[in-house]
Amino acid sequence: MGQERYSARLRPETRGDLYDPSYEHEACGIGLVAHINGRRSHDLVKQALDALVHMTHRGGIGAEQDSGDGAGILTQIPDAYFRKVCQPLGILLPRPGEYGVGMLFLPQNNERRERVEAEFAKIVTQSDQRFLGWRDVPVRTEHLGASALAAMPRIRQAFIAKNARVEDELSFERALYVIRKRAETRLRDPDPADFYACSLSCRTIVYKGMLLAPQLEELYPDLRDLDYDSALALVHSRFSTNTFPSWERAHPNRCLVHNGEINTIKGNVQRMRARQQHITTDVFGVPIADVLPIIREDGSDSAMFDNCLEFLTLTGRSLAHSAMMMIPAPWEKYREMPPSLRAFYEFHSHIMAAWDGPAAIAFTDGVSIGAMLDRNGLRPARYVVTLDDMVILTSEAGALEVPASNIRLQDRLQPGRMVMIDTSAGRFYADAEIKNAIASQQPYRAWIDRLKLDVDALPLDGAPPAMNCKLPLKTVQRAFGYTYEQCEKLLRPMAETGQEAVGSMGADSPLAVLSDAPQLLYDYFHHQFAQVTNPPIDAIREEIVTSLRVYIGPEGDLLHPSPLCCKQIRLHSPIISQKRMRGLAALDNDGLRAAILPIVYKAANGGVGLRAALVNLQKAAEDAFNRGCSILILSDRDADSDHAAIPALLAVTCVQRHTVQEGMRTRLSILLDSAEPREVHHIALLVGYGVTAICPYAALETVSDMAGEGFLKKNGKPIDPEDAEKNYVHALEKGLLKMLSKMGISAVQSYRGAQPFEAVGLGPEIIDRYFPGTPSRLGGLTLDELARETGARHSAAFAPGSDEARGLPSGGVYQYRRDGEPHLLNPESIHLLQQACWNADPELFKQYAKSVDEGESITLRSLFRFKDANPIPLDEVEPVESIVKRFKTGAMSYGSISQEAHECMAIAMNRLGGKSNTGEGGEDETRFLDERCSAIKQVASGRFGVTSGYLVSAREIQIKMAQGAKPGEGGQLPGAKVSPSIAKTRHSTPGVGLISPPPHHDIYSIED
């Protein structure tokens, strides 16, 4: 991939391996430097670049030490400098603010570049603006790494003069936005690499690239010129976790820099895509279609966030207002929040769900500049205001040295808080001042109170007959795959205690795709966890930032806020009772009209019938919407001996995707009335793929029936059926909150449609059509096979002899049962293992290993087979005694496993000559002097003289111990080798010193 193949700059497309382009997140260093009074200077630009260099450790470095993940700077347009360099080119610039500059990445191939440039100039002319000319941006590439250089675009600047009829600077910004959007549509086809605008503005310009922080001003001599000045700057050093670096994905974006991850990005983007067909505005002076799509979905999560923030700002809201909409503070449970500000956030929750995830952002429109943290505050950001009116905000203190005598104020951004600087007014705004001013612009509380509805206020009578059960409970349970084990081990504890059952980690029963028993569609999905830089939320101790609130009904108009935006029904959580579902089904008034859509198909028709039913379901949803229905209730109560239920998750995604594609999704809510869901995992999947509210009617009736029969007790006393249902719903709600929190997501409204799952064992027919964007690396089931699994459960429920007295299948997933699922650890394998260990019998251990390795296919690993090949002679193979010396155990902290297991692994690795890892926090010092000592230590700062930023060997600790050193004592041992950690790698762990003994040095860097 050389310069001819410019698309190397873009992240790779899905290649059929384990990589997928949707894994684009980042964890970076951000910085903001501004002069409060708007005084422009080159010194400010230099300070911003210095701050960036001092955050080099926050940027990623690949295998080449001179190729980085990305670095960049955004400044105001340096008018004096551009006048100086443009005059020799014959480009005569109008007054400041009356010309725009595009910083463009173009093809290196001259023929393609000339075609793109000619078309771009034509677009400018067609947009009634005047194209002034091109400038080659001087670059010095001798310091670039080979990868960065091979992917480097041709970098040119386009100068555009404002049409005299354009009234003001904001109108010109909008005209330039239209030009850019038209160019993106026309010039990125067929190759998206042909055109990328880092910026196109009359206020700001961006210099960036696939660089290390120190390489930025080395590559761009423009930035070192003394005439290059600005009153504000944003800088960014990129660390792209789980991603491929590229020139485009370097920050700044057009109006922000971002450190963090948007974990709800799929849902946010889907909702914006659905809104587009209904958006109306004349602020751009062109048909709205000319600026669509609002979000370029081939961008990173940061770039897509930037797309939305830019659009909201250009359509009339202030920058701070737009940022508050997208990253709201935790308003629902924060009682100290001013009522007007609470009303602001509540009102905007009706029209936009939060873009949720750990985030620190700094943003600017070229006049105002600010920064904010998300509601959890899991990203660092400290700022200083100086006596000479400078504001410096960076990812950590000390990125720029400021004399103490010049500091007026220093602080850190707190969770959900914001700071703003208005350079035109010469004002620095703290959080309360800017937010209270914005919250008072409209009577939000009056708007909410005028039309708000609560589900508890709805009448409960008048439900249509379709909401009544037609089958006995036992028949429903068998038809939907309930087992005795699920009722006893899952539903009973939830109904008795209001908590999920506690179980051990791990599973040794087959994956759904490898099981011989019919599986629910939910079983093919696995919830994703918070990734490298994204710590999960403690949903118990950080309850103030969490929310289960959802709204039913059409979302408000994004660009025209009014009281009508609040005409929605508020639910306290997505789990509702049968009474509430009946009340919702009876709604029939303007704006809130419900339609019940049966989700069943003729069971005898198999996959053909299932496909036809899904097509009919989409048509029924569209017809209901056209009749004025804004609440679609998908119900499987029509299931009977002839009709099987469409898997509820499949029905939901079928309607979700169709309504998004047709632009209906934000005008309606999808509710589910189903016997199928009963576990927290089921509820999380349904919400994660678009459901607003769920009534798990069979599960509710099951726990009610168990209570009525006297099977449920608390403190020895029977539980009332109504209390059993309430406990069960509470357990589901608490479990759903747990699922959100481990992805770093705070609010279920944002989690809805976010699709934080991956599939194992579903083929392209199902994934591509109904679950697009969901990773499914291995392929698998078709709709025909899914219909066969559904049909097997249905046949078992309605087969002759399936009367009410017949019990449920045993299950055997959580505990081995003879007639249940097979297990890797079954009575036979456990017996063999015990006997092998008790008798030190290698032959028995081989039998145990064979029973696990060659038994039934339960794991993906069990499917792997070695290809036939010519064996390598053993005398050419390294002996096993040498190989095992490279073995290492993972960093499992004491507490994650038992003391016995932790020490057993350390002893085993020491005897083999390999290495064990203590995990964070280190180990008990009594282990240091015997074979329980772990070779790789993660020791908290200050223990045994180990300070953050230094690497020390375990042998040194042993010497210190022998000399009487105690935990927490500092000081250096004479002659001890203590090396400052300067290698910043992707294994860095903030605040933790990691030590390893010679001769096997595992060098991991640490950060202060």
Side-chain angles (χ1 to χ4, degrees):
M1 294 193 302
Q3 292 180 342
E4 282 298 306
R5 187 55 187 157
Y6 175 46
S7 58
R9 295 187 288 109
L10 298 173
R11 56 184 179 179
E13 297 302 318
T14 303
R15 302 179 302 244
D17 57 16
L18 299 184
Y19 173 77
D20 186 271
S22 63
Y23 311 148
E24 295 291 325
H25 302 294
E26 50 207 299
C28 323
I30 65 171
L32 171 162
V33 183
H35 193 279
I36 294 174
N37 294 313
R39 192 179 70 209
R40 303 171 67 106
S41 69
H42 180 70
D43 285 343
L44 184 144
V45 177
K46 179 60 177 170
Q47 284 181 301
L49 292 169
D50 288 346
L52 177 64
V53 171
H54 293 153
M55 291 188 291
T56 300
H57 63 284
R58 288 193 170 270
I61 304 174
E64 301 168 358
Q65 292 301 301
D66 47 7
S67 286
D69 284 2
I73 184 170
L74 178 152
T75 69
Q76 292 173 323
I77 287 178
D79 179 68
Y81 176 71
F82 280 143
R83 290 185 186 280
K84 179 176 72 175
V85 297
C86 285
Q87 187 174 6
L89 300 175
I91 300 174
L92 300 179
L93 298 177
R95 291 181 300 178
E98 295 188 357
Y99 69 92
V101 184
M103 186 75 166
L104 308 180
F105 288 168
L106 303 171
Q108 285 283 6
N109 179 278
N110 287 332
E111 183 179 345
R112 285 165 54 201
R113 176 180 58 78
E114 289 170 0
R115 177 187 62 81
V116 169
E117 290 177 351
E119 187 66 22
F120 180 81
K122 184 188 299 184
I123 291 170
V124 173
T125 303
Q126 292 171 346
S127 302
D128 288 333
Q129 309 303 320
R130 185 160 55 94
F131 186 76
L132 297 176
W134 293 98
R135 174 183 179 245
D136 268 317
V137 178
V139 290
R140 296 182 57 188
T141 60
E142 57 266 29
H143 301 289
L144 291 189
S147 298
L149 190 59
M152 184 177 175
R154 182 73 175 271
I155 305 172
R156 303 197 83 196
Q157 288 168 344
F159 292 84
I160 301 168
K162 178 172 75 72
N163 186 311
R165 294 190 300 275
V166 176
E167 296 179 356
D168 52 31
E169 199 173 90
L170 179 57
S171 299
F172 189 32
E173 281 288 279
R174 289 168 173 158
L176 294 172
Y177 177 78
V178 171
I179 291 171
R180 193 189 87 221
K181 299 296 284 188
R182 286 172 169 170
E184 287 174 346
T185 300
R186 287 160 59 174
L187 302 182
R188 292 169 61 86
D189 185 20
D191 191 345
D194 278 352
F195 179 85
Y196 175 77
C198 303
S199 59
L200 180 56
S201 169
C202 65
R203 294 175 174 174
T204 61
I205 189 166
V206 171
Y207 285 75
K208 67 179 184 180
M210 189 173 152
L211 310 166
L212 298 170
Q215 292 175 329
L216 182 64
E217 59 179 325
E218 293 174 348
L219 178 67
Y220 296 112
D222 285 3
L223 299 174
R224 296 202 299 269
D225 194 286
L226 296 180
D227 287 327
Y228 191 111
D229 60 7
S230 178
L232 56 82
L234 296 177
V235 293
H236 189 272
S237 178
R238 186 169 189 247
F239 192 121
S240 52
T241 56
N242 303 330
T243 65
F244 286 90
S246 74
W247 283 78
E248 289 93 339
R249 279 165 181 72
H251 289 211
N253 292 300
R254 282 123 194 171
C255 60
L256 67 77
V257 290
H258 172 221
N259 173 13
E261 299 172 6
I262 308 298
N263 297 317
T264 59
I265 191 69
K266 292 178 182 177
N268 298 127
V269 170
Q270 277 193 11
R271 284 187 281 272
M272 288 300 296
R273 191 192 312 147
R275 289 185 183 106
Q276 289 179 167
Q277 296 189 31
H278 304 287
I279 284 178
T280 58
T281 179
D282 57 3
V283 299
F284 296 109
V286 298
I288 190 66
D290 283 16
V291 298
L292 299 182
I294 295 169
I295 294 176
R296 285 282 168 184
E297 297 183 27
D298 58 353
S300 65
D301 53 355
S302 300
M304 290 187 277
F305 185 100
D306 182 83
N307 291 160
C308 183
L309 181 65
E310 180 185 34
F311 180 80
L312 292 176
T313 303
L314 290 175
T315 50
R317 291 181 174 90
S318 69
L319 191 62
H321 187 152
S322 302
M324 289 168 65
M325 284 178 60
M326 296 182 69
I327 306 182
W331 57 273
E332 190 174 340
K333 300 175 184 177
Y334 183 34
R335 300 305 171 195
E336 290 75 22
M337 180 176 285
S340 61
L341 186 55
R342 182 191 306 278
F344 169 90
Y345 284 123
E346 184 174 356
F347 173 81
H348 286 90
S349 70
H350 285 274
I351 60 177
M352 176 171 281
W355 294 57
D356 209 348
I361 64 170
F363 43 83
T364 184
D365 58 7
V367 178
S368 296
I369 189 167
M372 70 184 304
L373 281 188
D374 70 286
R375 62 173 65 194
N376 301 303
L378 298 176
R379 287 294 180 273
R382 301 194 67 89
Y383 65 91
V384 170
V385 182
T386 68
L387 294 174
D388 53 357
D389 294 326
M390 294 291 292
V391 179
I392 302 161
L393 181 146
T394 55
S395 291
E396 60 239 77
L400 274 183
E401 186 174 348
V402 179
S405 59
N406 192 30
I407 294 176
R408 178 191 305 168
L409 169 68
Q410 58 181 342
D411 201 353
R412 67 178 178 90
L413 273 183
Q414 297 182 33
R417 300 295 176 84
M418 171 191 292
V419 294
M420 288 293 299
I421 304 101
D422 185 341
T423 62
S424 64
R427 291 289 307 276
F428 173 87
Y429 296 97
D431 181 79
E433 186 177 7
I434 184 65
K435 288 183 176 178
N436 290 336
I438 292 171
S440 63
Q441 290 175 354
Q442 300 288 353
Y444 293 116
R445 176 51 58 194
W447 287 2
I448 294 168
D449 292 341
R450 190 184 308 176
L451 292 173
K452 74 174 182 180
L453 294 169
D454 194 284
V455 70
D456 293 333
L458 294 179
L460 300 180
D461 53 358
M467 298 303 293
N468 298 321
C469 286
K470 301 176 177 61
L471 298 171
L473 178 59
K474 277 288 193 297
T475 303
V476 172
Q477 289 173 333
R478 286 196 291 268
F480 287 91
Y482 282 65
T483 65
Y484 172 81
E485 183 181 55
Q486 288 175 339
C487 293
E488 281 297 306
K489 293 190 176 297
L490 298 181
L491 300 188
R492 177 194 283 272
M494 296 168 79
E496 288 181 333
T497 68
Q499 308 281 345
E500 282 189 275
V502 176
S504 61
M505 295 175 63
D508 66 338
S509 55
L511 289 168
V513 71
L514 300 180
S515 173
D516 293 330
Q519 300 291 314
L520 297 175
L521 182 56
Y522 310 105
D523 299 330
Y524 291 90
F525 290 84
H526 299 264
H527 201 283
Q528 295 174 327
F529 285 79
Q531 295 302 307
V532 177
T533 67
N534 175 13
I537 300 166
D538 185 336
I540 298 174
R541 294 165 187 82
E542 300 178 83
E543 183 186 10
I544 192 173
V545 305
T546 63
S547 173
L548 289 173
R549 176 183 297 205
V550 294
Y551 298 106
I552 293 176
E555 290 186 10
D557 191 322
L558 183 65
L559 301 187
H560 304 96
S562 74
L564 291 175
C565 296
C566 304
K567 194 172 183 180
Q568 294 178 311
I569 301 169
R570 181 181 65 185
L571 299 183
H572 304 291
S573 92
I575 318 299
I576 57 176
S577 67
Q578 295 194 73
K579 290 181 180 179
R580 296 299 176 213
M581 183 61 85
R582 290 190 180 103
L584 291 168
L587 284 172
D588 187 15
N589 60 65
D590 185 34
L592 291 172
R593 180 174 291 117
I596 300 173
L597 307 182
I599 51 172
V600 296
Y601 68 101
K602 197 79 170 176
N605 293 341
V608 173
L610 178 57
R611 287 186 183 86
L614 292 169
V615 172
N616 292 336
L617 180 60
Q618 291 178 337
K619 186 177 185 301
E622 193 167 342
D623 290 344
F625 178 78
N626 292 333
R627 295 197 311 269
C629 297
S630 59
I631 301 173
L632 305 184
I633 301 175
L634 312 185
S635 178
D636 55 28
R637 291 182 188 256
D638 285 344
D640 56 26
S641 58
D642 293 326
H643 296 87
I646 299 172
L649 182 60
L650 183 62
V652 164
T653 56
C654 172
V655 176
Q656 166 80 4
R657 190 179 183 210
H658 182 69
T659 53
V660 168
Q661 288 176 331
E662 298 302 318
M664 300 181 291
R665 186 62 185 91
T666 58
R667 300 294 186 90
L668 55 82
S669 294
I670 300 173
L671 278 59
L672 177 67
D673 181 53
S674 175
E676 190 182 75
R678 58 262 200 185
E679 303 177 21
V680 171
H681 179 62
H682 302 171
I683 301 299
L685 270 160
L686 291 166
V687 175
Y689 281 99
V691 166
T692 300
I694 304 159
C695 175
Y697 67 83
L700 290 168
E701 291 182 12
T702 297
V703 298
S704 178
D705 183 68
M706 292 170 72
E709 295 292 330
F711 294 142
L712 303 183
K713 291 182 172 59
K714 186 172 184 180
N715 299 325
K717 298 179 180 179
I719 295 177
D720 181 81
E722 188 173 340
D723 290 336
E725 288 193 25
K726 289 180 180 177
N727 288 343
Y728 172 70
V729 170
H730 179 72
L732 287 179
E733 291 172 346
K734 190 171 181 180
L736 179 60
L737 203 58
K738 176 193 71 177
M739 302 290 270
L740 269 68
S741 66
K742 67 183 182 181
M743 277 300 294
I745 297 173
S746 306
V748 75
Q749 192 177 1
S750 301
Y751 184 85
R752 178 168 56 85
Q755 303 180 203
F757 297 90
E758 62 180 339
V760 178
L762 295 180
E765 181 187 11
I766 295 176
I767 292 295
D768 295 347
R769 185 175 300 179
Y770 301 107
F771 299 91
T774 299
S776 184
R777 299 172 176 87
L778 302 178
L781 263 66
T782 64
L783 281 176
D784 290 321
E785 292 163 326
L786 186 60
R788 279 201 292 272
E789 294 206 328
T790 303
R793 288 192 299 273
H794 185 267
S795 299
F798 293 99
S802 300
D803 54 26
E804 189 70 10
R806 184 180 172 191
L808 298 176
S810 62
V813 172
Y814 301 99
Q815 182 177 342
Y816 177 83
R817 291 180 180 273
R818 191 180 301 275
D819 60 346
E821 292 276 19
H823 286 250
L824 276 175
L825 299 177
N826 52 56
E828 179 184 359
S829 62
I830 292 173
H831 174 75
L832 288 171
L833 177 61
Q834 289 175 334
Q835 293 299 319
C837 293
W838 290 339
N839 300 317
D841 189 333
E843 291 304 317
L844 280 178
F845 186 83
K846 289 179 181 178
Q847 291 181 42
Y848 158 73
K850 184 177 181 180
S851 73
V852 173
D853 292 341
E854 299 181 10
E856 298 190 54
S857 295
I858 289 178
T859 64
L860 296 179
R861 182 180 66 249
S862 65
L863 303 179
F864 291 159
R865 297 289 182 269
F866 288 106
K867 294 180 178 179
D868 292 332
N870 295 324
I872 300 172
L874 281 178
D875 58 3
E876 296 181 16
V877 179
E878 187 177 358
V880 65
E881 293 81 7
S882 175
I883 294 173
V884 297
K885 290 181 181 179
R886 293 197 294 275
F887 285 7
K888 301 171 188 171
T889 66
M892 294 174 281
S893 303
Y894 173 65
S896 65
I897 55 177
S898 69
Q899 176 182 344
E900 292 82 0
H902 208 278
E903 293 181 359
C904 179
M905 288 192 293
I907 293 170
M909 299 313 294
N910 286 333
R911 291 180 181 178
L912 291 173
K915 287 177 285 186
S916 63
N917 190 316
T918 66
E920 291 187 15
E923 63 195 0
D924 191 306
E925 55 268 20
T926 60
R927 292 169 54 176
F928 290 171
L929 299 178
D930 58 38
E931 64 176 348
R932 298 174 299 157
C933 181
S934 288
I936 305 171
K937 300 184 185 298
Q938 296 184 220
V939 182
S941 177
R943 291 193 70 192
F944 301 102
V946 181
T947 58
S948 181
Y950 288 84
L951 304 172
V952 185
S953 73
R955 176 60 181 157
E956 293 171 283
I957 291 183
Q958 292 174 345
I959 294 173
K960 287 189 175 186
M961 286 286 291
Q963 294 184 350
K966 298 290 191 299
E969 290 186 359
Q972 300 289 343
L973 180 69
K977 179 181 180 182
V978 183
S979 307
S981 171
I982 57 174
K984 301 293 179 179
T985 73
R986 300 191 179 202
H987 302 288
S988 62
T989 304
V992 179
L994 291 91
I995 338 169
S996 68
H1000 310 293
H1001 287 286
D1002 274 57
I1003 304 301
Y1004 294 83
S1005 71
I1006 51 183
E1007 297 176 11
D1008 291 335

